[in-house]
Amino acid sequence: IKILVINHVKEVNLGSYEAFFSSDKHDFKIFNFSSLEKPPSTDKFHALWVMGGPMNVWEEDRYPWLIKEKLFIKNWVLKLEKPFFGICLGHQLLGEALGASVIKSKNPEIGFKQIYLSQEVCSNNILKNFSEEMLVLQGHSAEISDLSNKGVTVLASSKDCSIQALSYLNHAFSVQFHPEVVNKTIQDWISIPEIKCDFNEAVGQKGISEIIEYQQKNRRSLINAAKLIYENWMNLIKKK
């Protein structure tokens, strides 16, 4: 399939998913709305992925290109109803497109944390067979709130964030956490001043080292968890 990937900064990228796309021979194009180029035509792509980034959903004054990106996502998900997957900022942008508020978190989540899967049985679950024992990488200080859209199913939550994963109808899915983490991910993130500041404030230099160490020790199981989400997503969109 042809996948359009919206990137916000080069340091927050597809991670492990790039290898999965390549191995399954998907064509993918990376586009950044901040380039101010004209976005690709929607009819050239089967699916849209929206990645994370250091900006907040509400920072349109600082990042005016966000306005066009939001309209693009809204059109894709609500009007065209084509397959979608969002991570972190991409998750929040989907939430806003579906009528939710995105607010500053009372307790930002930084580092490897536990999530709790919804006990509600649903047919469109990208976290099917995901283990609750698997800690996931968090890196956010904003979250979705007040999401009452009837087409939405909340698939997971955590101690400090009520919407960690969601599905909308049978084509749009997103996660607040970062399944794409690979060896260089955290080092790349903290090369961005805003992210480094958030991490330092939350866990300090020692905590950052521990996060990197945890990722390296659990590299294989983290990649397997990312692959499970990807395979679930692929199976669900094939049904569509």
Side-chain angles (χ1 to χ4, degrees):
I1 63 171
K2 290 187 173 177
I3 302 171
L4 177 61
V5 179
I6 296 179
N7 236 28
H8 299 102
V9 286
K10 67 181 190 311
E11 297 85 354
V12 184
N13 49 45
L14 278 168
S16 58
Y17 289 112
E18 186 161 344
F20 305 154
F21 286 1
S22 299
S23 119
D24 283 349
K25 298 189 166 43
H26 299 314
D27 284 339
F28 65 94
K29 177 183 170 67
I30 291 170
F31 180 76
N32 191 329
F33 272 85
S34 68
S35 69
L36 305 182
E37 290 171 25
K38 192 178 175 206
S41 170
T42 54
D43 57 13
K44 288 185 177 165
F45 296 90
H46 302 110
L48 176 66
W49 279 46
V50 181
M51 308 309 293
M55 54 290 298
N56 287 302
V57 167
W58 57 82
E59 291 185 299
E60 291 171 352
D61 289 348
R62 189 174 174 191
Y63 306 103
W65 48 264
L66 266 172
I67 296 165
K68 278 190 177 167
E69 181 174 331
K70 288 179 181 186
L71 289 171
F72 189 88
I73 292 168
K74 218 168 184 176
N75 179 56
W76 185 280
V77 172
L78 298 180
K79 192 174 172 193
L80 303 176
E81 294 193 348
K82 290 170 83 169
F84 175 96
F85 186 64
I87 294 175
C88 199
L89 176 60
H91 168 73
Q92 294 166 11
L93 286 163
L94 175 61
E96 188 176 90
L98 296 172
S101 308
V102 177
I103 59 169
K104 215 165 171 46
S105 304
K106 279 185 185 160
N107 298 306
E109 291 183 302
I110 307 282
F112 284 94
K113 310 276 183 189
Q114 188 168 19
I115 58 168
Y116 305 100
L117 306 181
S118 165
Q119 296 311 303
E120 190 183 329
V121 178
C122 67
S123 57
N124 53 352
N125 189 358
I126 45 158
L127 298 180
K128 186 181 174 187
N129 299 327
F130 196 85
S131 167
E132 279 194 352
E133 288 166 25
M134 181 81 221
L135 300 186
V136 297
L137 179 61
Q138 302 282 5
H140 69 103
S141 53
E143 62 187 86
I144 296 173
S145 170
D146 300 327
L147 182 51
S148 56
N149 189 306
K150 288 191 173 108
V152 170
T153 305
V154 175
L155 304 172
S157 60
S158 66
K159 186 167 71 73
D160 290 312
C161 175
S162 61
I163 305 175
Q164 278 288 343
L166 68 84
S167 65
Y168 170 66
L169 303 180
N170 61 354
H171 66 284
F173 306 88
S174 62
V175 293
Q176 179 59 72
F177 57 94
H178 286 272
E180 79 279 16
V181 58
V182 288
N183 281 350
K184 289 275 288 160
T185 299
I186 297 144
Q187 291 91 326
D188 283 347
W189 287 2
I190 58 176
S191 69
I192 299 172
E194 298 101 311
I195 294 180
K196 189 172 188 180
C197 180
D198 282 350
F199 270 61
N200 265 326
E201 212 171 280
V203 297
Q205 195 52 53
K206 184 171 180 285
I208 293 172
S209 300
E210 285 167 359
I211 293 168
I212 292 168
E213 192 182 321
Y214 183 91
Q215 181 274 323
Q216 287 167 349
K217 271 188 186 165
N218 296 279
R219 178 182 166 275
R220 180 41 52 197
S221 56
L222 288 163
I223 286 175
N224 288 342
K227 190 162 194 187
L228 175 72
I229 293 172
Y230 163 72
E231 286 172 347
N232 284 341
W233 180 80
M234 281 299 303
N235 289 331
L236 288 162
I237 66 156
K238 274 178 193 164
K239 286 180 191 172
K240 184 172 166 60

